[in-house]
Amino acid sequence: MMIPPLIDRASPTSGRPSTGLRLLEEDTPNGVIEMQLSNQGIRCNINVTELYLADHEYAEIPSLERFKSLQCLWVNHNKILRVDFLRRNFQITELYLQQNRITSIAGSLRHLKCMKILMLHANHLTDKASTVKELRHMCDLHTLNLFGNPISQEENYRSYVIFNLPHVVVLDRKKVSTNEYDKSKRIFSPKTTKVEESIKFGRREIISPLSQNLFSFSSTGQSRRSRSWFIRSRAPDTSLHDRPPASPSRSSLPMSYSAFDWGLVGHEYLYSKVRSPPQRLTFHL
């Protein structure tokens, strides 16, 4: 039998329950939790999937590790400084932390791999890199709010978040567009963007032979023997024009290949001005 949740789910924009139980004011968070359990008739902690601890003056929240099945948590509109009460809660999918005094989330949320909605706006987050790093492994995270923090005032803030968290669909109440994603790649990964554009438009990038790892050297410095590489030549063999035409019953397609055995040369071949021409093998099919 399914146990009904403590309260209804919140709307994605407000972070507040749309309908449900309004809690009585208590002195401590534990008192509020016990009141919720009592009103709902829930005796087993494993049956608790949602908790509402918002709109209080709490500076700290006690550990919620006893609620192993907790999925949705509202602790917004408090005075929380640190998020250190979810160490053993691995099934959190929605977390509402907006309107608090949180200065850092480093080491607090990275274990929440099931996170889908995270509200962190209107806090005091100042380290953009550590904040984004903490969320990088949340592959299911699709809705994220970080506006109202000092990091949101930094240059290229939105592009930085989009580049490092490509799975986020809605950032700061605005859907991430394809143009924004492309812009973030141009800013923070220009080399990758250049290669992608060269492939897209059919251009050939000039790459140093040394960077292609054409040679693999052993501990003695000798190159290992590798397979010959066959490169198709666009120009057909001119001697084909002197041959009689093929029989009408059988068509022939001239194909010209160039073969070169890289295993026969050493590292000095790259810097040698005098090079013997590669052998050419011609096949007629």
Side-chain angles (χ1 to χ4, degrees):
M1 181 179 68
M2 289 188 61
I3 303 297
L6 295 182
I7 55 177
D8 294 338
R9 292 183 179 275
S11 61
T13 55
S14 64
R16 297 172 179 269
S18 55
T19 60
L21 178 65
R22 262 304 178 191
L23 304 176
L24 300 176
E25 292 292 330
E26 295 290 341
D27 294 335
T28 63
N30 284 326
V32 173
I33 293 174
E34 294 303 325
M35 180 66 68
Q36 293 186 57
L37 299 180
S38 176
N39 290 344
Q40 295 292 334
I42 298 178
R43 298 181 179 180
C44 298
N45 294 330
I46 195 66
N47 295 327
V48 177
T49 58
E50 300 184 359
L51 282 176
Y52 183 73
L53 301 175
D55 297 304
H56 294 280
E57 298 294 324
Y58 300 144
E60 294 183 357
I61 300 293
S63 176
L64 302 176
E65 62 179 351
R66 58 177 173 148
F67 304 114
K68 303 296 184 182
S69 301
L70 186 61
Q71 297 179 7
C72 303
L73 176 63
W74 289 265
V75 288
N76 49 289
H77 293 82
N78 284 299
K79 298 180 179 179
I80 299 173
L81 300 176
R82 297 181 303 275
V83 187
D84 55 359
F85 45 86
L86 297 172
R87 302 289 187 185
R88 301 289 181 179
N89 304 93
F90 299 99
Q91 299 187 30
I92 298 290
T93 59
E94 299 181 22
L95 183 57
Y96 300 90
L97 290 166
Q98 69 270 22
Q99 297 288 342
N100 278 287
R101 300 178 180 179
I102 302 171
T103 58
S104 175
I105 60 172
S108 303
L109 303 177
R110 65 183 59 183
H111 62 288
L112 303 178
K113 304 297 179 61
C114 300
M115 186 75 70
K116 297 180 180 180
I117 299 176
L118 179 59
M119 300 294 157
L120 277 167
H121 53 278
N123 276 285
H124 300 163
L125 299 174
T126 57
D127 192 336
K128 179 176 61 177
S130 66
T131 299
V132 172
K133 182 180 179 180
E134 192 70 15
L135 312 178
R136 188 168 295 173
H137 299 291
M138 299 179 182
C139 298
D140 293 331
L141 181 64
H142 58 74
T143 303
L144 174 65
N145 278 356
L146 291 173
F147 65 90
N149 287 279
I151 61 174
S152 64
Q153 305 300 321
E154 297 183 17
E155 185 180 3
N156 294 324
Y157 145 77
R158 185 174 176 87
S159 296
Y160 181 84
V161 176
I162 292 174
F163 176 76
N164 288 280
L165 304 176
H167 44 271
V168 172
V169 178
V170 179
L171 175 61
D172 294 343
R173 300 178 180 177
K174 181 182 177 182
K175 187 175 181 180
V176 178
S177 65
T178 304
N179 292 335
E180 286 181 313
Y181 180 67
D182 293 339
K183 176 184 176 182
S184 68
K185 290 195 298 182
R186 288 194 298 269
I187 295 175
F188 297 102
S189 184
K191 293 183 179 179
T192 302
T193 304
K194 184 179 180 181
V195 173
E196 290 179 353
E197 290 180 352
S198 67
I199 296 174
K200 183 186 302 182
F201 296 102
R203 296 195 304 269
R204 181 179 178 182
E205 293 295 327
I206 303 301
I207 304 176
S208 171
L210 293 177
S211 65
Q212 299 183 17
N213 295 325
L214 297 179
F215 302 98
S216 56
F217 294 91
S218 62
S219 58
T220 58
Q222 300 295 329
S223 62
R224 300 174 184 174
R225 186 175 182 84
S226 60
R227 243 189 287 181
S228 297
W229 292 89
F230 292 89
I231 306 173
R232 182 174 179 175
S233 173
R234 295 185 179 181
D237 193 350
T238 56
S239 62
L240 296 176
H241 299 286
D242 300 331
R243 299 182 180 182
S247 175
S249 60
R250 293 185 58 187
S251 61
S252 61
L253 178 63
M255 300 178 67
S256 177
Y257 291 85
S258 295
F260 193 82
D261 193 347
W262 291 99
L264 299 178
V265 297
H267 184 70
E268 64 277 1
Y269 180 81
L270 296 175
Y271 305 98
S272 176
K273 295 184 178 179
V274 180
R275 304 178 185 178
S276 58
Q279 299 177 357
R280 168 163 293 189
L281 303 179
T282 303
F283 300 91
H284 306 282
L285 302 178

